[in-house]
Amino acid sequence: LITTSIILGTTMVTTSHHWLMTWVGLEINMLAILPMISKPKTTRSTEATTKYFLTQAVASIMLLMASTTNAWQTGTWSITQIDNVYSSTIMTLALATKMGAAPFHFWLPEVLQGTSMTTAMIISSWQKIAPTTLMYMISNNTKTPTLILVGVLSILVGGLGGINQTQMRKMMAYSSISNTGWTIMMMAISPNIAVFNMLMYIIMIIPTFMMMSSTSTKTLQNISTLWTTSPMLTYLMTLLMLSTSSLPPLTGFMPKLVMLNELIKQELLILATTTALMSLINLLFYMRIAYLSAMLTSPTTSTSTTKWRHQTKQPNMTTTLIPTALLSLLAIPAIPN
């Protein structure tokens, strides 16, 4: 029931052209994922559920207010005709809140840290589809400076926030904030490239969370002893981190190259340089993970004390993990011209 409701909510948002139906879809989506977040039955997960509910509810209210004001002023409920300047700005901020973009990002690291790996993966990937679709649909009527400001701020916050973290889920949350920033910034310049960037990020984040889930890797300390459990996943994790940090010749380099190319084509040289330099901050904490997993492996003794690992029966994720991991690493020849 819960999974069907999550799929139904996102499908309603992506296929409707009326603001009220879109709002209903977002509400179904939000209410369906709340039981998933609170599943671990700890005080931390309850807190995460409350935070997620409150922020998403506020964003939904902002969205409803903006669409109602627009309908009042222009007489239409169509998503693509949000002509009122105030409505479009409030709508942009509401969708940025739903996506977890700065300066409305505070809920995302806390929620991911408080729930299970699988739910964190859903929040970082599937839950981004609906707001990204809406932002794409209203991109012609949004204010370019607002989108660029939110985008650049998210890239900066995502980089600086992730540096000091030792928890893997929080690092992935800040990585998500940074990528959302790139997507929102590109919505102002080329919405198609923005959607392409979000799609590539979803493809890269799914195998990363799957590997962390199957090996019970929650902290950087766990990563340094991951080779004792699964040497193959250690190398795969390293390559995925390098891909997510946009290093060539891996897949992650592709959307960054296309986005920076588009910025330079539009003669936005200062913006292109600033965002490229800020993405180097992200590279710092991705390299930390890569260093711990690949360059700190010792053949005999562990470099740090770690908890005992009993080989429990893990769910078989090979059917999803292998194709997504291959796409996350080797898709660079499929780069659009």
Side-chain angles (χ1 to χ4, degrees), residues 186-293:
M186 287 311 294
M187 279 293 176
I189 294 140
S190 174
N192 290 338
I193 293 175
V195 172
F196 168 67
N197 174 55
M198 183 56 83
L199 178 68
M200 294 313 299
Y201 182 74
I202 288 170
I203 289 170
M204 286 187 289
I205 206 75
I206 288 171
T208 310
F209 271 113
M210 278 186 167
M211 279 189 284
M212 288 196 290
S213 175
S214 62
T215 54
S216 301
T217 304
K218 294 185 179 70
T219 61
L220 288 177
Q221 187 186 29
N222 294 153
I223 281 206
S224 63
T225 54
L226 186 61
W227 59 275
T228 54
T229 313
S230 176
M232 191 65 218
L233 283 186
T234 309
Y235 301 129
L236 201 52
M237 176 74 88
T238 307
L239 287 169
L240 274 169
M241 283 297 122
L242 294 177
S243 180
T244 316
S245 66
S246 313
L247 284 183
L250 302 167
T251 303
F253 177 60
M254 181 163 59
K256 288 281 194 300
L257 178 64
V258 174
M259 287 188 289
L260 289 172
N261 182 45
E262 186 63 29
L263 287 173
I264 291 163
K265 265 188 196 171
Q266 304 283 354
E267 297 184 359
L268 296 164
L269 293 175
I270 295 172
L271 185 61
T273 311
T274 309
T275 48
L277 287 172
M278 285 197 296
S279 66
L280 291 178
I281 308 171
N282 284 67
L283 181 62
L284 187 62
F285 67 83
Y286 290 126
M287 285 299 290
R288 214 155 121 228
I289 301 172
Y291 170 74
L292 284 172
S293 55

Side-chain angles (χ1 to χ4, degrees), residues 12-215:
M12 278 179 71
V13 173
T14 50
T15 53
S16 61
H17 58 84
H18 192 285
W19 273 120
L20 274 182
M21 289 310 294
T22 306
W23 175 76
V24 169
L26 287 169
E27 289 298 300
I28 291 171
N29 201 326
M30 178 190 75
L31 292 171
I33 203 163
L34 292 178
M36 288 186 78
I37 301 172
S38 61
K39 196 184 171 193
K41 297 290 181 290
T42 59
T43 49
R44 187 116 202 199
S45 66
T46 311
E47 183 188 337
T49 312
T50 312
K51 284 177 178 172
Y52 186 83
F53 172 72
L54 290 174
T55 46
Q56 297 293 317
V58 168
S60 293
I61 291 165
M62 286 168 69
L63 185 138
L64 195 59
M65 185 185 82
S67 55
T68 311
T69 310
N70 185 66
W72 182 33
Q73 294 286 331
T74 61
T76 177
W77 282 96
S78 175
I79 292 176
T80 50
Q81 294 177 29
I82 184 156
D83 301 324
N84 187 347
V85 62
Y86 299 111
S87 293
S88 65
T89 308
I90 292 169
M91 187 66 69
T92 306
L93 298 179
L95 294 173
T97 309
K98 280 202 169 287
M99 291 166 83
F104 316 105
H105 65 283
F106 298 101
W107 62 272
L108 189 59
E110 297 296 324
V111 170
L112 290 202
Q113 184 59 32
T115 186
S116 66
M117 283 288 178
T118 313
T119 314
M121 179 180 75
I122 292 167
I123 293 170
S124 300
S125 54
W126 183 262
Q127 293 298 91
K128 294 284 172 77
I129 295 171
T132 307
T133 311
L134 281 176
M135 201 164 266
Y136 178 81
M137 289 165 84
I138 66 165
S139 58
N140 286 335
N141 299 312
T142 48
K143 290 288 169 192
T144 304
T146 310
L147 289 174
I148 290 176
L149 183 66
V150 170
V152 170
L153 194 60
S154 298
I155 298 168
L156 184 64
V157 166
L160 293 175
I163 289 176
N164 207 26
Q165 300 298 332
T166 55
Q167 297 286 337
M168 286 300 294
R169 277 170 292 191
K170 280 197 175 179
M171 288 175 95
M172 289 298 105
Y174 282 107
S175 155
S176 176
I177 291 164
S178 178
N179 187 270
T180 302
W182 279 93
T183 304
I184 290 176
M185 180 185 73
M186 287 311 294
M187 279 293 176
I189 294 140
S190 174
N192 290 338
I193 293 175
V195 172
F196 168 67
N197 174 55
M198 183 56 83
L199 178 68
M200 294 313 299
Y201 182 74
I202 288 170
I203 289 170
M204 286 187 289
I205 206 75
I206 288 171
T208 310
F209 271 113
M210 278 186 167
M211 279 189 284
M212 288 196 290
S213 175
S214 62
T215 54

Side-chain angles (χ1 to χ4, degrees), residues 2-19:
I2 289 168
T3 312
T4 312
S5 300
I6 290 171
I7 295 167
L8 173 71
T10 305
T11 312
M12 278 179 71
V13 173
T14 50
T15 53
S16 61
H17 58 84
H18 192 285
W19 273 120

